[in-house]
């Protein structure tokens, strides 16, 4: 690797970008022969800039500058410093722009109420769950993918919603073996979009775990939106016997109550866990509610694979997006 390319990679890492993000963005056509070409070296920097959300001009001088570093709002902020925030924001906005470009225009998500959304889904399905929320998003032209490559070496993004000219894309980062936890995360991000929380910015990045007692007004609103969509109320308390309950007995109770109230049983189990501050039993109950553990990201991205208009993207961008959706192990 020539010295200029080494400096480039070193600068990208120093800016906070992970090895995986850099490898994913690195073009397949790059070679030793290309390294000897000044125009190819310039094109390399333009390619990386487009994919990673960087300003191309500074990158030509081996200086990394994130384009959308000041355009994201961060929720549940923990230890991320300014450089890490810039990397997360620009990486996510760049991906969101790619996705929106490759997604058909649908209806308007802005202003749709939680109860209206719930009612629309319940016209065709018995409960509001992860699959129905994903279907709703794609129908309204809101792409949803689960990232398998992250801009930071230490993955910290739970989810992100990106806005481009009044359209939205949702990037999920939270891993789970059952659908209910991710359904809440997705409903929360839909809430941010529907409630207009992004405002004049480009994105909202949710870091860490959602906190149902968060003091951030927008987080409270998005949590209430998610609960209303999933359960029909912001305070889901139903007649469930929780006296000395075990994971199995809780699962049996929420399956019955879920059918009565058109609520996914897994979602209801998590509501009980929150209400009684007994997450251990609630999470264990999921094993008795769903048939088996599943890598949820695979199903989410299989839907995305079918919905994305790949012909709207060039081969290099398509390859990049597929790596982001599958990781390097496929």
């Amino acid at each position: 690797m020539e010295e200029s390319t080494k400096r480039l990679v070193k600068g990208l890492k120093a800016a906070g970008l992970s090895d995986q993000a850099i490898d994913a963005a690195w073009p397949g056509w790059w070679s030793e022969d290309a390294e000897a070409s000044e125009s190819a070296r310039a094109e390399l920097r333009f390619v990386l800039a487009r994919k990673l959300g960087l300003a191309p001009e500074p990158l030509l001088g081996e200086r990394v500058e994130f384009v959308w570093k000041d355009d994201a709002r961060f929720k549940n902020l923990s230890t991320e410093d300014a450089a890490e925030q810039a990397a997360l924001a620009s990486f996510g906005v760049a991906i969101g722009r790619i996705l929106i470009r490759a997604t058909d225009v649908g209806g308007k998500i802005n202003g749709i109420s939680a109860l209206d959304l719930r009612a629309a889904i319940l016209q065709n399905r018995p409960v509001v769950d992860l699959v129905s929320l994903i279907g709703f998003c794609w129908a309204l032209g809101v792409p949803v993918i689960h990232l398998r490559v992250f801009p930071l070496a230490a993955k910290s993004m739970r989810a992100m919603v990106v806005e481009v000219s009044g359209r939205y894309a949702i990037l999920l980062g939270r891993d789970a073996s059952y659908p209910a936890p991710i359904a809440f995360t997705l409903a929360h991000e839909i809430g941010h979009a529907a409630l207009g929380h992004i405002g004049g910015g480009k994105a909202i990045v949710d870091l860490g775990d959602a906190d149902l007692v968060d003091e951030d007004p927008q987080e409270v609103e998005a949590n209430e939106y998610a609960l209303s969509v999933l359960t029909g109320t912001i305070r889901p308390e139903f007649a469930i016997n929780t006296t000395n309950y075990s994971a199995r007995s809780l699962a049996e109770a929420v399956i019955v109550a879920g059918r009565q109230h058109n609520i996914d049983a897994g979602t209801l189990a998590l509501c009980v866990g929150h209400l009684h501050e007994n997450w251990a039993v609630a999470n264990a109950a999921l094993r008795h509610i769903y048939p088996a553990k599943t890598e949820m990201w695979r199903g989410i991205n299989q839907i995305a694979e079918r919905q994305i208009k790949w012909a709207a993207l060039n081969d290099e961008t398509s390859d990049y997006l597929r790596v982001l959706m599958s990781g390097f192990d496929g």
Side-chain angles (χ1 to χ4, degrees):
M1 184 181 291
E2 291 290 333
E3 191 61 34
S4 65
T5 306
K6 288 181 180 178
R7 286 198 305 271
L8 173 61
V9 172
K10 185 177 180 180
L12 293 171
K13 290 182 179 180
L17 290 165
S18 67
D19 288 335
Q20 274 202 334
I22 297 169
D23 289 344
W26 206 267
W29 52 259
W30 185 254
S31 65
E32 290 184 8
D33 290 339
E35 194 146 27
S37 166
E38 183 176 348
S39 62
R41 292 197 300 272
E43 179 60 22
L44 168 67
R45 285 150 178 79
F46 281 113
V47 167
L48 294 175
R50 287 194 300 270
K51 292 178 177 178
L52 297 173
L54 308 175
E57 293 83 1
L59 201 59
L60 292 171
E62 314 301 347
R63 182 169 59 86
V64 177
E65 182 177 309
F66 292 101
V67 177
W68 295 290
K69 62 182 179 180
D70 299 320
D71 289 318
R73 299 177 185 178
F74 289 81
K75 305 295 185 178
N76 303 305
L77 190 62
S78 53
T79 60
E80 282 70 22
D81 62 20
E84 290 174 328
Q85 290 178 38
L88 276 169
S90 286
F91 179 82
V93 172
I95 297 167
R97 294 171 71 90
I98 291 171
L99 285 168
I100 289 169
R101 190 164 76 245
T103 302
D104 286 338
V105 177
K108 287 286 186 181
I109 193 172
N110 311 61
I112 185 169
S113 76
L115 293 181
D116 283 346
L117 168 54
R118 177 174 173 80
I121 291 175
L122 290 181
Q123 288 180 357
N124 300 302
R125 295 181 66 89
V127 297
V128 178
D129 56 11
L130 179 61
V131 172
S132 60
L133 287 173
I134 292 173
F136 160 80
C137 286
W138 282 104
L140 288 190
V142 179
V144 178
I145 68 168
H146 197 295
L147 289 176
R148 306 310 299 163
V149 173
F150 294 85
L152 305 182
K155 182 177 69 175
S156 59
M157 187 187 80
R158 179 165 55 91
M160 181 174 185
V161 57
V162 176
E163 180 180 3
V164 179
S165 300
R167 296 188 61 194
Y168 298 87
I170 296 175
L171 313 177
L172 300 172
R174 178 180 188 175
D175 275 325
S177 299
Y178 302 106
I182 299 184
F184 180 84
T185 296
L186 178 54
H188 179 100
E189 301 309 313
I190 293 171
H192 279 314
L195 296 168
H197 286 170
I198 298 179
K202 296 290 191 301
I204 285 180
V205 184
D206 279 309
L207 303 166
D209 292 326
D211 185 350
L212 291 177
V213 294
D214 199 299
E215 294 181 358
D216 182 324
Q218 289 189 344
E219 286 300 279
V220 172
E221 289 179 354
N223 282 336
E224 291 181 347
Y225 190 99
L227 287 171
S228 295
V229 168
L230 294 168
T231 72
T233 175
I234 62 173
R235 294 180 180 83
E237 298 180 25
F238 301 100
I240 298 172
N241 183 6
T242 55
T243 303
N244 298 320
Y245 59 95
S246 65
R248 184 177 293 277
S249 65
L250 175 60
E252 292 170 351
V254 296
I255 288 171
V256 173
R259 288 174 184 153
Q260 294 172 343
H261 299 285
N262 299 106
I263 301 172
D264 175 69
T267 294
L268 197 48
L270 296 181
C271 289
V272 172
H274 169 69
L275 184 64
H276 295 273
E277 297 185 353
N278 193 348
W279 290 109
V281 172
N283 285 313
L286 299 181
R287 299 199 304 267
H288 304 289
I289 294 170
Y290 299 108
K293 285 186 175 183
T294 305
E295 291 181 306
M296 297 309 304
W297 68 268
R298 291 188 184 276
I300 294 167
N301 287 345
Q302 284 170 0
I303 295 172
E305 175 74 28
R306 296 192 295 270
Q307 294 294 327
I308 292 170
K309 305 302 178 185
W310 296 101
L313 306 174
N314 60 38
D315 290 344
E316 183 178 289
T317 304
S318 295
D319 291 344
Y320 175 55
L321 188 54
R322 284 192 164 101
V323 169
L324 297 179
M325 291 166 55
S326 66
F328 290 94
D329 297 329

